[in-house]
Amino acid sequence: MKLSKLILENKEIKYTPLPFAYNALEPHIDEETMKEHFTKHFKGYVNKLNDALKGKKEVDGDIIKVLGDIKNYDDKVRNNAGGVYNHELYFNIITPEGSSTPVGELKDEIIKKYGDFSKFKEEFIEAGLSRFGSGWSWLTLTKSGLKIHSTPNQDNPLMSYSEIKGIPLIGMDVWEHAYYLKHKSKRGDYIKDFFKVLNWDKVEDLYQNTKK
Ligand code: MN3
């Protein structure tokens, strides 16, 4: 999984299919939510970003370049480039299979920094719960190591707007559209369910790619 290769094909961001069935994450994340989230929300960001970047040849399809240079773009690009990148990450790290607890070198780093996995989880849950309104919670690899934090709307730690900057390893969507059909107003329950479908094998892959 290389998110930096989330590149235009024929000058258009490609809308890649979900690698598993919409109902594969049941009962934790329900089919209807997955279908709406993937085919309506995510697809909407893809289409709007393609539209916003039309004619901007300098971009050459590199969304990472756009995010790193985001202050030079308008809000339409900010919201939709963030939306595309964030959802690509999200849909790649949630799966019906895989390790449910940290693995590999990232596991060692998490234990070094947070003491144990349950303390890490507590802090991550708190970041998601305390984000007012819509946004994302992150585990980000920064120059000074791992950081848990959150951002509003579709911002992310690749953007200069983010207080904490680095490469995101985990992105958890806490917009209501990610959980409201099933979890209603109980964001905390959704976050607990998110951890049940979070694939730590993928997160470790991402950590190894990021360190290079
Ligand atoms: Mn979303």
Side-chain angles (χ1 to χ4, degrees), residues 17-37:
L18 192 68
F20 48 84
Y22 295 116
N23 66 0
L25 303 179
E26 298 256 10
H28 312 301
I29 300 183
D30 61 290
E31 179 175 8
E32 197 187 357
T33 297
M34 285 300 292
K35 209 181 255 175
E36 285 292 306
H37 203 176

Side-chain angles (χ1 to χ4, degrees), residues 121-138 148-153 163 172-175 179 185-191:
K121 217 167 139 179
E122 240 170 69
E123 196 175 316
F124 197 90
I125 289 170
E126 186 47 35
L129 283 175
S130 60
R131 165 53 47 196
F132 181 75
S134 298
W136 289 74
S137 303
W138 305 101
I148 291 171
H149 64 113
S150 73
T151 55
N153 305 316
E163 203 182 315
M172 181 179 67
D173 194 340
V174 294
W175 283 57
Y179 62 87
S185 60
K186 296 189 175 110
R187 188 188 277 184
D189 288 356
Y190 156 71
I191 296 175

